[in-house]
């Protein structure tokens, strides 16, 4: 399979880049699109649709094809994958049927592909992404390969979209189903953040709503660890500081910890809502502010995928948490360059609101403050 990545800041620029990429006879069949909500999704989709491309699209918090992230742009990974080796499906969901929608889409895939693997994107901030993943496991089995991310909105926390050729949704899921007998897909979620302090117990929580840790309101305990003094609703930087620099690490019996930053504060009791579930009775630790070691861990884990599972890749897709962009600033370029250099294959990526994959030795689940690297190769 041949792949090429293109980028632009308007439908016209994407049109020109697409034509240039096809000038040597390259005939792509599939387009993975990450773009800003400021971009004209429908016009860009028409550009791709007009040459017969199937579109897998997700809005983002920043986009990249190499080591330099873009803002308010569009990036596209073009592949000439055999049409019999992939299928794009999508569906809207409501506030309660996430798992059922995933089961339905995965089951529909099984009608045509007996051994599927999936690339997925979801929209809407209230989506229970872990329920989506459980749906894939229910339909296909616990072994299923699923990678992806939740859509962004330029970190405005307003409205996110997933889209395809003739469909888009601000509360839905898009699925790229691959025939794993003919397309190898391997990936890993890595955060690299180091923990600090002793293990602590979540003493009261419901789903993703954490009330107390060691019987102390979780906001107060987080502020104490982070040395935050102005813990009031009038501090506009408080939530960003907690989410980007002081995420909790949910400990696992098997596999790496899973990041669970606080995203919404309930000032009535100083509790907060995390991006994913934090079971009552579970163990957590807080994180040290990130440094270059965090970047090195991601690059090292990516190199390990190449060494153990994927010696060659036709294309690379990256879902990196928007919180990493906020925390690392210009240093994020070094992480992206390191990932790119592992296979030196065409790459496209986005800064997401959540990452979906397995951590090293872990289960299929939703992550935050994490980078998910996915490599593809058609057999």
């Amino acid at each position: 399979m041949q792949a090429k990545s293109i980028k632009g800041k308007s439908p016209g620029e994407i049109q020109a880049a697409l034509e240039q990429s096809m000038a040597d006879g390259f005939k792509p069949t599939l387009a993975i699109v990450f773009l800003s909500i400021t971009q004209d999704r429908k016009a860009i989709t028409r550009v791709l649709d007009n040459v017969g491309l199937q579109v897998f699209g997700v809005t983002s918090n920043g986009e990249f094809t190499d080591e330099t992230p873009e803002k308010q742009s569009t990036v596209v990974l073009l592949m000439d994958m055999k049409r019999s080796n992939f299928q794009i499906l999508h569906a809207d969901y409501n506030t309660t049927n996430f798992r059922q929608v995933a089961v339905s889409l995965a089951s529909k895939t099984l009608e045509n592909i007996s051994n599927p693997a999936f690339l997925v994107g979801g929209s809407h901030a209230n989506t229970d992404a872990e329920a989506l993943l459980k749906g894939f496991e229910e339909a296909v089995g616990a072994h299923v390969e699923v990678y992806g991310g939740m859509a962004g909105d330029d970190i405005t926390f307003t409205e996110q979209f997933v889209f395809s050729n003739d469909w888009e949704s601000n509360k839905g899921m898009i699925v790229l189903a691959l025939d794993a007998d003919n397309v190898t897909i391997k990936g890993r979620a890595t955060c690299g953040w180091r923990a600090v302090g002793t293990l602590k117990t979540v003493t009261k929580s419901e789903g993703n709503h954490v009330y107390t840790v060691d019987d102390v309101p979780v906001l107060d305990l987080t502020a104490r660890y982070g040395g935050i003094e102005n813990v009031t609703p009038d501090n506009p930087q408080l939530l960003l500081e907690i989410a980007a620099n002081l995420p909790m690490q949910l400990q696992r019996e098997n596999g790496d910890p899973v990041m669970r930053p606080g995203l919404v504060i309930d000032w009535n009791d100083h509790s907060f809502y995390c991006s994913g579930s934090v079971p009552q009775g579970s163990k957590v630790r807080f994180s040290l502010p990130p440094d270059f070691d965090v970047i090195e861990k991601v690059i090292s884990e990516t190199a390990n995928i190449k060494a153990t599972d994927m010696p060659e890749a036709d294309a690379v897709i990256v879902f990196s948490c928007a919180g990493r962009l906020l925390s690392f600033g210009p240093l994020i370029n070094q992480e992206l360059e390191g990932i790119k250099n592992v296979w030196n294959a065409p790459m496209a990526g986005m800064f997401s609101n959540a990452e979906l994959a397995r951590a090293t030795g872990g289960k299929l689940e939703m992550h935050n403050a994490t980078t998910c690297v996915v490599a593809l190769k058609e057999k």
Side-chain angles (χ1 to χ4, degrees):
M1 179 180 74
Q2 186 178 6
K4 296 183 180 183
S5 56
I6 62 174
K7 59 184 178 181
K9 293 198 172 183
S10 69
E13 290 187 8
I14 293 298
Q15 173 83 55
L18 177 63
E19 291 175 355
Q20 183 177 359
S21 74
M22 298 174 65
D24 61 356
F26 175 53
K27 295 181 179 179
T29 56
L30 174 62
I32 294 175
V33 184
F34 303 132
L35 51 69
S36 162
I37 56 171
T38 64
Q39 292 285 292
D40 189 337
R41 294 184 300 277
K42 293 183 179 179
I44 288 170
T45 300
R46 282 196 300 271
V47 168
L48 301 169
D49 185 71
N50 286 340
V51 294
L53 286 162
Q54 294 292 301
V55 175
F56 172 98
V58 186
T59 60
S60 60
N61 297 307
E63 315 78 36
F64 50 89
T65 59
D66 48 35
E67 69 274 11
T68 305
E70 302 285 346
K71 294 181 179 179
Q72 299 186 342
S73 72
T74 297
V75 302
V76 184
L77 181 64
L78 302 166
M79 292 175 278
D80 64 355
M81 188 180 296
K82 293 178 182 178
R83 293 186 183 273
S84 59
N85 285 341
F86 72 91
Q87 181 180 10
I88 292 179
L89 305 95
H90 47 72
D92 297 279
Y93 44 67
N94 58 40
T95 56
T96 60
N97 70 338
F98 305 112
R99 183 167 181 156
Q100 294 93 323
V101 168
V103 168
S104 176
L105 291 178
S107 298
K108 187 175 181 181
T109 298
L110 289 169
E111 296 174 5
N112 300 305
I113 301 175
S114 61
N115 181 26
F118 300 94
L119 194 72
V120 302
S123 60
H124 202 276
N126 292 338
T127 299
D128 185 345
E130 291 189 329
L132 296 176
L133 296 175
K134 292 298 183 184
F136 286 101
E137 289 185 326
E138 179 180 334
V140 181
H143 65 282
V144 65
E145 298 278 358
V146 183
Y147 306 96
M150 298 301 294
D153 51 20
D154 295 336
I155 321 181
T156 61
F157 304 104
T158 52
E159 191 175 29
Q160 312 86 34
F161 292 87
V162 288
F163 58 95
S164 191
N165 297 62
D166 54 0
W167 172 88
E168 71 170 32
S169 176
N170 63 357
K171 189 180 285 188
M173 177 172 59
I174 187 165
V175 174
L176 171 62
L178 300 168
D179 183 347
D181 289 333
N182 295 305
V183 180
T184 302
I185 179 170
K186 295 293 180 181
R188 191 168 300 162
T190 307
C191 70
W193 292 45
R194 289 184 292 170
V196 63
T198 59
L199 282 174
K200 301 189 177 299
T201 303
V202 177
T203 44
K204 184 180 180 182
S205 68
E206 296 177 0
N208 67 333
H209 191 178
V210 181
Y211 295 92
T212 62
V213 175
D214 282 357
D215 294 318
V216 178
V218 66
L219 174 61
D220 298 343
L221 192 61
T222 302
R224 185 187 307 168
Y225 263 86
I228 303 173
E229 297 181 355
N230 184 17
V231 186
T232 69
D234 299 324
N235 180 357
Q237 298 301 314
L238 177 62
L239 191 56
L240 186 61
E241 175 72 9
I242 290 172
N245 294 326
L246 297 167
M248 291 189 299
Q249 297 190 17
L250 178 61
Q251 304 299 302
R252 297 301 200 195
E253 290 184 8
N254 297 308
D256 290 348
V258 180
M259 307 296 275
R260 288 290 184 261
L263 299 179
V264 178
I265 295 171
D266 186 339
W267 288 102
N268 293 315
D269 54 13
H270 283 207
S271 63
F272 55 55
Y273 291 84
C274 295
S275 57
S277 62
V278 183
Q280 187 166 301
S282 59
K283 302 295 184 180
V284 296
R285 296 175 73 186
F286 287 96
S287 300
L288 287 170
D291 58 20
F292 191 73
D293 288 347
V294 177
I295 293 173
E296 287 292 332
K297 178 69 178 297
V298 169
I299 297 171
S300 174
E301 287 295 322
T302 303
N304 190 48
I305 300 174
K306 178 178 180 179
T308 59
D309 294 319
M310 199 79 161
E312 296 180 349
D314 295 329
V316 176
I317 304 161
V318 181
F319 299 90
S320 184
C321 183
R324 297 179 77 89
L325 178 62
L326 295 172
S327 297
F328 296 139
L331 280 177
I332 199 68
N333 295 31
Q334 297 183 41
E335 179 170 293
L336 300 180
E337 182 179 13
I339 294 170
K340 173 78 172 180
N341 289 340
V342 169
W343 288 284
N344 198 27
M347 180 174 82
M350 63 173 278
F351 292 102
S352 50
N353 279 353
E355 301 74 55
L356 312 175
R358 287 184 174 85
T360 302
K363 298 179 180 179
L364 182 60
E365 54 195 334
M366 186 188 75
H367 303 264
N368 284 104
T370 294
T371 297
C372 172
V373 179
V374 186
L376 296 171
K377 185 170 182 58
E378 193 170 29
K379 299 177 182 178

